[in-house]
Amino acid sequence: MTAQNSIIQGVPNADELFKQGRNLYEAEQFNEASLVFEQAYIAFKAQKDKLKQAMSLSNLSLAYQQLGQWSKASEAIGNAIASLHAQSLNLLQTQQNIGTSTKQGSEEGASLSQILAQALDIQGRLQLAQGKAESALNTWQQAAAIYAQIDDKTRLIRSQINSAQAWQTLGNYRQAQKTLTEINQNLQNQPDSTLKATGLRSLGNVLRVVGDLKQSRQILQQSLEVATRMRSPQSELASPSPQAISETWLSLGNTATAQQDTPAALNYYQQAAATSTLLTTRIQADLNQLHLLLDENQLTAAQSLVSQIQAQIANLPSSRQAVYARINFALSLMKLAAKRVDGHDVKEIAQLLAIAVQQARDLQDQRSVAYALGNLGGLYEQTQQFRSAQDLTEQALILSQAINVPDITYRWQWQLGRLLKAQGDIQGAIAAYTESVKILQSLRNDLVAINPEVQFSFRDEVEPIYRQLVNLLLQSEGSSQKSQDNLIQARAVIESLQLAELDNFFRVACLQGRPIQIDSVIDQKDPTAAVIYPIILADKLEVILKLPQQPLRHYKTTITASEVERTLEQLRQELIKPHTLQETRSLSQQVYNWLLQPVEKNLAKSQIKTLVFVLDGSLRNIPMAALYDGQQYLIEKYAIALTPGLQLLAPKPLSQQQLKVLTAGITEARQGFSALSNVALELNQIQSEVPTTELLNQEFTSKTFQKEINSVLFSVVHLATHGQFSSKAEETFILTWDGRINVNQLDNLLRIRDTEPNAIELLVLSACQTAAGDKRAALGLAGIAVRAGARSTLASLWNVDDKSTAELMSQFYGELISKQLTKAEALRQAQLVLLKNPKYQHPIFWAPYVLLGNWL
């Protein structure tokens, strides 16, 4: 018997109707539930029970939300809240007239407050679904205040979880993480519950976005285990719905994708789709699978999944989720088309995006309208219909600027730049690209927190903008002054990319601008230094050179980025083999010819003694010292330093009179790492050159290290221990006796010294190495240099024979102390001593040591 028949056949019982509506809703029969809640509302109205009328309206709004009937949902919840506020006011006035608060009045007030808070919770859900995250946050905070007042701890936590969801949507992931971490500390010791499973899932999602992927996966597994235990036949607990379990599988898939664990991610998404009772979640899981399959070039499986999604996507109820689902499906179809896979014409994709635009407009969700319009413009760009593409892109741009959503505005500026370039308007293109980069720079803290629905990827969605702008600047012709202006801007853009890469590495804006520019250092403090900025572009390698007291100049080699990458990878492999001197020199000479051969005479004429490199991409994995001109290595002619950007901590020479050195090291095998038998010799030899405080083996723990750092202002910190630099912050670490100090913990240990007078002058990492097979691993070295807050960092790009390391370090400190050389020159002299030793002539022994930061 249907709900309608039961109503028609007998006098409706209001409470029974309300209960029946709840049962239908929980069974996800939302249309039937809405009809029954309407009848319950009418019945309660006939009974003049205003409190239960409001409850019926609140639940009716929930059913309408599930059906995508937003105006009806908004009207129902608005009426419910208005009624409850009026009842609260009447109750307060009645109590004031009586002059006291009766027990019945207090109970009635508590019940009224609870129902009002629940209605506010529902209104917050509606606001978030409509893209009104700030309103949702405000509404949920009101609900939380009421729950706190009536001491309803369970619903208070649920409301706080909702608030964290709004913080996420607003891009404030740090606040969301803080809120959820506090909630979960309270939940950990509580028995299994739906609330506990939900809280853990929310925290796991936030941890993924802020980059703590390992912890994200662990927390999500906990959430899944809690939910699964509760659904077991033996469990007496109230079970979470299969949908809650499905959403946890989906979250696990997203984290595994971020970890680049594709097999696990595909499995998680399949589990999510199989267990979901909601079409939106099933389609989201399928879309995420499709995205992965396309990235992995598994086109047959992708095509099969496309057919499955096509059969279902038209049935999605209107919501922001549905808008994004259509857009993401369209983007995947565009990828398929780009791979020349048959079966998906432009009209079909355009129709998908047009429906997304219309749905977003119906929802009055301006952000989604801008996102859909911009992607429709992207489709026309792909089909080279540039005028239509430009019109749609400009519409999207105007709208996204009006509602102030920089995380998508930068995309449409970039797209406009590409379109203008394609139509020959180079100056217009430069202006649009420049605006896009400015927006990215202004985002900084938020760059890592871009809406996950937009499928943000640094490599795909940020880095190309910088490189394409540089390409435009360097090809744009004009007066000599204009050319100089373009060179200055191009160089600044590359620095912005360097900073953005580090921000992305740390998942937070780690570098704030330093006032000291490299140009001023070489113009005023070291007129024997030159700065070299190689820039890897799609079809050429550009180099910008700064000589003291001279304008910038640039030169290029016509070569594809893939060929550059291939040569650098081959060179890196040869450098770490002990018996490949001829092959190493041949490849090193190629790189020398790209970077330095065109300006050999200029460097000689300017009497340059130090070369400072701001390296780009895979060039960071190559020690510049090993470049070969056909007769000599670069280190035989110049001292060499690296810097991750154009700005430095105020550089100054190391003061030998006040030199205080803290050394720490491990000689024994620990945590799966081999013994470093010559570390004791290395530290003893350093001590013979300069007085030191030493922490060796058991003495070198995180706790004792921090205690020493905090007690004495050491100017040099020398760590002789295993360590690894990686393109992932969580895999960049230094080994201690009792554990590992990762790059973010290093920041916490050393930042107490992060005031200008107290900065560590030199941090030495003598047994660390870049992670094998990681093309961007040297980013971790730059990250450690930045995080340590030291003026200079000396480290090795690969693990070196520890006996030769001991010799080099002893020589380095001897040169630094006795001859009062610059740090770069002291390192050069130490490397030359090894190079002249027949045992250590191959670059594998002397080349990996690099100096980052201040070279004076």
Side-chain angles (χ1 to χ4, degrees):
M1 182 183 295
T2 66
Q4 287 168 296
N5 288 339
S6 71
I7 295 162
I8 293 164
Q9 288 178 8
V11 177
N13 179 303
D15 288 316
E16 281 298 317
L17 283 169
F18 184 81
K19 185 179 177 183
Q20 189 179 10
R22 290 298 305 162
N23 290 338
L24 287 166
Y25 183 89
E26 286 166 10
E28 297 179 353
Q29 297 178 42
F30 302 121
N31 190 52
E32 291 85 348
S34 70
L35 295 171
V36 174
F37 283 133
E38 283 178 11
Q39 293 295 332
Y41 169 71
I42 292 166
F44 284 128
K45 191 174 182 181
Q47 296 174 9
K48 297 185 179 178
D49 189 335
K50 290 186 177 179
L51 200 58
K52 289 184 177 177
Q53 284 177 56
M55 288 170 59
S56 298
L57 286 171
S58 295
N59 282 275
L60 180 59
S61 176
L62 274 176
Y64 283 145
Q65 287 178 45
Q66 295 289 358
L67 294 167
Q69 297 179 20
W70 303 110
S71 58
K72 285 185 176 182
S74 185
E75 183 183 359
I77 197 64
N79 288 338
I81 290 171
S83 172
L84 290 163
H85 277 306
Q87 289 176 67
S88 294
L89 192 59
N90 287 339
L91 182 63
L92 182 63
Q93 286 174 343
T94 301
Q95 289 175 345
Q96 286 174 342
N97 291 337
I98 295 171
T100 184
S101 172
T102 64
K103 182 182 179 184
Q104 182 182 351
S106 297
E107 289 174 354
E108 188 179 342
S111 178
L112 191 59
S113 294
Q114 184 184 66
I115 293 167
L116 174 58
Q118 288 171 345
L120 288 167
D121 273 341
I122 292 166
Q123 186 180 49
R125 286 171 60 170
L126 172 64
Q127 289 164 332
L128 192 71
Q130 291 179 300
K132 300 170 184 173
E134 281 190 54
S135 299
L137 177 63
N138 181 50
T139 300
W140 280 325
Q141 286 174 338
Q142 288 178 51
I146 295 171
Y147 288 135
Q149 188 179 0
I150 62 176
D151 199 30
D152 187 338
K153 292 185 174 65
T154 300
R155 288 193 174 95
L156 171 61
I157 290 173
R158 185 175 288 118
S159 200
Q160 288 170 332
I161 291 171
N162 287 339
S163 294
Q165 191 179 355
W167 282 121
Q168 290 177 62
T169 306
L170 289 166
N172 194 335
Y173 289 89
R174 299 288 166 186
Q175 180 61 46
Q177 182 184 6
K178 182 182 174 188
T179 302
L180 290 165
T181 300
E182 289 169 359
I183 291 167
N184 279 289
Q185 283 169 353
N186 295 328
L187 289 174
Q188 283 296 341
N189 297 323
Q190 293 184 19
D192 290 347
S193 67
T194 301
L195 190 65
K196 185 172 183 176
T198 303
L200 287 166
R201 184 174 73 243
S202 298
L203 178 58
N205 288 337
V206 171
L207 288 167
R208 176 180 64 255
V209 178
V210 299
D212 193 346
L213 301 178
K214 185 178 178 182
Q215 184 72 0
S216 168
R217 197 157 169 178
Q218 288 173 353
I219 293 286
L220 290 170
Q221 287 285 5
Q222 280 184 46
S223 174
L224 186 65
E225 287 161 13
V226 169
T228 304
R229 282 196 298 269
M230 291 176 67
R231 286 202 65 79
S232 71
Q234 292 78 24
S235 175
E236 297 176 3
L237 298 165
S239 298
S241 68
Q243 181 56 29
I245 293 175
S246 170
E247 286 173 8
T248 308
W249 283 119
L250 183 62
S251 294
L252 276 164
N254 293 339
T255 294
T257 298
Q259 290 178 308
Q260 299 177 335
D261 185 355
T262 301
L266 288 171
N267 177 52
Y268 291 144
Y269 290 141
Q270 287 158 8
Q271 294 276 12
T275 55
S276 175
T277 57
L278 281 183
L279 180 59
T280 48
T281 308
R282 282 201 301 276
I283 287 181
Q284 187 59 59
D286 286 343
L287 284 168
N288 291 0
Q289 268 194 82
L290 178 59
H291 187 73
L292 272 182
L293 290 169
L294 287 170
D295 282 349
E296 295 293 311
N297 238 23
Q298 297 182 34
L299 300 183
T300 305
Q303 278 282 51
S304 174
L305 201 52
V306 163
S307 303
Q308 190 174 312
I309 295 168
Q310 275 176 321
Q312 301 180 77
I313 202 162
N315 300 323
L316 278 175
S318 175
S319 68
R320 173 182 270 199
Q321 265 188 307
V323 172
Y324 277 107
R326 282 187 166 83
I327 294 169
N328 289 342
F329 188 38
L331 292 174
S332 291
L333 292 180
M334 287 163 68
K335 272 190 182 179
L336 272 172
K339 293 174 184 287
R340 291 178 170 76
V341 176
D342 296 332
H344 306 287
D345 61 22
V346 173
K347 284 185 182 177
E348 179 187 356
I349 302 170
Q351 187 178 16
L352 261 176
L353 290 168
I355 293 170
V357 170
Q358 190 55 53
Q359 280 195 348
R361 283 178 172 152
D362 292 343
L363 290 168
Q364 298 182 329
D365 183 350
Q366 299 295 75
R367 179 191 175 94
S368 295
V369 174
Y371 188 50
L373 280 170
N375 278 291
L376 186 54
L379 172 64
Y380 285 120
E381 178 193 12
Q382 187 170 305
T383 58
Q384 299 188 357
Q385 299 176 61
F386 296 130
R387 288 307 308 164
S388 297
Q390 186 175 335
D391 179 51
L392 287 161
T393 303
E394 285 171 344
Q395 287 182 51
L397 189 54
I398 289 165
L399 187 54
S400 59
Q401 287 171 327
I403 59 173
N404 190 27
V405 283
D407 57 311
I408 59 173
T409 304
Y410 88 87
R411 287 167 168 262
W412 309 145
Q413 288 286 10
W414 177 27
Q415 188 161 290
L416 180 60
R418 297 195 306 269
L419 290 164
L420 291 170
K421 181 191 173 191
Q423 296 172 85
D425 183 357
I426 300 301
Q427 294 311 311
I430 288 174
Y433 268 96
T434 301
E435 196 57 39
S436 182
V437 166
K438 278 183 186 173
I439 294 167
L440 285 171
Q441 286 176 272
S442 72
L443 280 170
R444 289 299 297 280
N445 278 304
D446 302 320
L447 191 59
V448 298
I450 284 177
N451 191 336
E453 292 170 315
V454 181
Q455 295 183 340
F456 167 77
S457 158
F458 184 86
R459 295 297 301 273
D460 298 334
E461 306 293 345
V462 174
E463 188 174 336
I465 304 174
Y466 291 88
R467 298 197 186 282
Q468 289 165 17
L469 174 53
V470 168
N471 196 17
L472 283 168
L473 289 165
L474 296 182
Q475 76 180 42
S476 178
E477 295 182 5
S479 64
S480 58
Q481 181 54 50
K482 181 164 177 36
S483 177
Q484 190 64 202
D485 291 344
N486 282 1
L487 284 174
I488 291 168
Q489 187 183 348
R491 194 179 60 159
V493 168
I494 284 300
E495 180 190 31
S496 297
L497 174 58
Q498 304 265 7
L499 294 179
E501 282 183 305
L502 283 168
D503 290 346
N504 188 61
F505 172 77
F506 286 114
R507 310 296 289 183
V508 66
C510 63
L511 261 182
Q512 303 305 324
R514 303 294 190 188
I516 306 301
Q517 296 286 332
I518 287 181
D519 284 10
S520 66
V521 177
I522 68 171
D523 283 343
Q524 298 166 24
K525 293 194 174 185
D526 187 3
T528 64
V531 189
I532 296 168
Y533 311 82
I535 305 165
I536 302 170
L537 301 176
D539 58 353
K540 56 184 171 288
L541 178 65
E542 294 270 7
V543 184
I544 298 176
L545 172 68
K546 168 62 181 172
L547 292 169
Q549 305 295 339
Q550 293 184 36
L552 298 177
R553 57 168 296 171
H554 94 285
Y555 45 98
K556 67 183 178 183
T557 302
T558 303
I559 185 172
T560 65
S562 58
E563 193 176 341
V564 171
E565 293 280 342
R566 191 163 51 250
T567 303
L568 294 174
E569 178 61 25
Q570 286 176 344
L571 175 55
R572 171 63 190 233
Q573 293 304 317
E574 297 302 330
L575 281 166
I576 57 176
K577 295 175 185 174
H579 306 296
T580 58
L581 200 54
Q582 187 175 342
E583 295 90 335
T584 301
R585 285 179 171 178
S586 174
L587 290 163
S588 292
Q589 192 168 354
Q590 279 188 51
V591 182
Y592 177 90
N593 290 341
W594 297 340
L595 303 187
L596 293 158
Q597 190 272 333
V599 289
E600 284 176 335
K601 292 178 181 176
N602 304 77
L603 295 171
K605 185 177 178 182
S606 297
Q607 299 182 314
I608 297 301
K609 294 179 180 177
T610 303
L611 297 179
V612 182
F613 289 89
V614 184
L615 293 176
D616 185 27
S618 294
L619 282 164
R620 297 187 191 114
N621 294 330
I622 304 300
M624 295 294 104
L627 299 189
Y628 191 68
D629 68 0
Q631 296 184 335
Q632 289 181 300
Y633 291 106
L634 197 60
I635 198 68
E636 295 181 81
K637 298 194 284 186
Y638 301 102
I640 296 166
L642 309 177
T643 175
L646 305 178
Q647 300 169 332
L648 301 167
L649 273 172
K652 60 182 183 181
L654 199 58
S655 174
Q656 283 80 11
Q657 289 75 26
Q658 301 171 1
L659 212 57
K660 294 178 182 175
V661 180
L662 172 64
T663 62
I666 297 175
T667 61
E668 299 177 23
R670 297 293 291 174
Q671 302 171 46
F673 289 88
S674 60
L676 294 167
S677 54
N678 283 293
V679 159
L681 172 64
E682 178 181 335
L683 300 190
N684 287 338
Q685 288 180 337
I686 294 169
Q687 193 165 32
S688 70
E689 301 288 350
V690 57
T692 67
T693 299
E694 182 181 290
L695 301 173
L696 188 62
N697 291 331
Q698 292 93 332
E699 296 173 336
F700 180 28
T701 64
S702 299
K703 191 173 181 180
T704 54
F705 180 62
Q706 181 159 32
K707 183 182 176 185
E708 290 294 340
I709 284 286
N710 293 351
S711 62
V712 179
L713 291 178
F714 292 103
S715 47
V716 177
V717 175
H718 183 110
L719 304 179
T721 178
H722 285 290
Q724 178 175 275
F725 311 123
S726 167
S727 59
K728 299 175 183 176
E730 64 270 21
E731 293 175 14
T732 296
F733 63 87
I734 294 161
L735 198 71
T736 62
W737 184 261
D738 61 340
R740 298 179 178 186
I741 302 173
N742 70 34
V743 67
N744 288 311
Q745 291 165 336
L746 183 71
D747 174 53
N748 296 332
L749 286 171
L750 299 179
R751 278 293 168 181
I752 194 167
R753 304 283 304 278
D754 193 26
T755 53
E756 188 62 34
N758 298 334
I760 294 168
E761 296 293 336
L762 177 63
L763 171 67
V764 182
L765 306 168
S766 80
C768 298
Q769 62 183 332
T770 50
D774 185 346
K775 290 183 179 179
R776 295 159 66 85
L779 197 60
L781 172 53
I784 280 189
V786 166
R787 268 301 200 237
R791 292 187 206 276
S792 316
T793 300
L794 174 58
S796 55
L797 291 175
W798 58 77
N799 207 348
V800 191
D801 170 84
D802 62 334
K803 189 172 183 183
S804 63
T805 296
E807 289 187 32
L808 180 131
M809 290 300 170
S810 173
Q811 191 71 34
F812 169 70
Y813 282 101
E815 298 283 346
L816 202 59
I817 302 304
S818 62
K819 298 182 182 175
Q820 298 197 0
L821 302 175
T822 66
K823 284 171 269 192
E825 183 59 30
L827 176 58
R828 173 177 178 256
Q829 292 300 330
Q831 287 174 299
L832 289 176
V833 167
L834 285 191
L835 174 58
K836 290 169 185 173
N837 184 329
K839 289 193 296 184
Y840 301 131
Q841 281 187 338
H842 192 285
I844 191 175
F845 297 105
W846 52 264
Y849 303 97
V850 293
L851 181 71
L852 284 90
N854 169 30
W855 64 91
L856 295 180

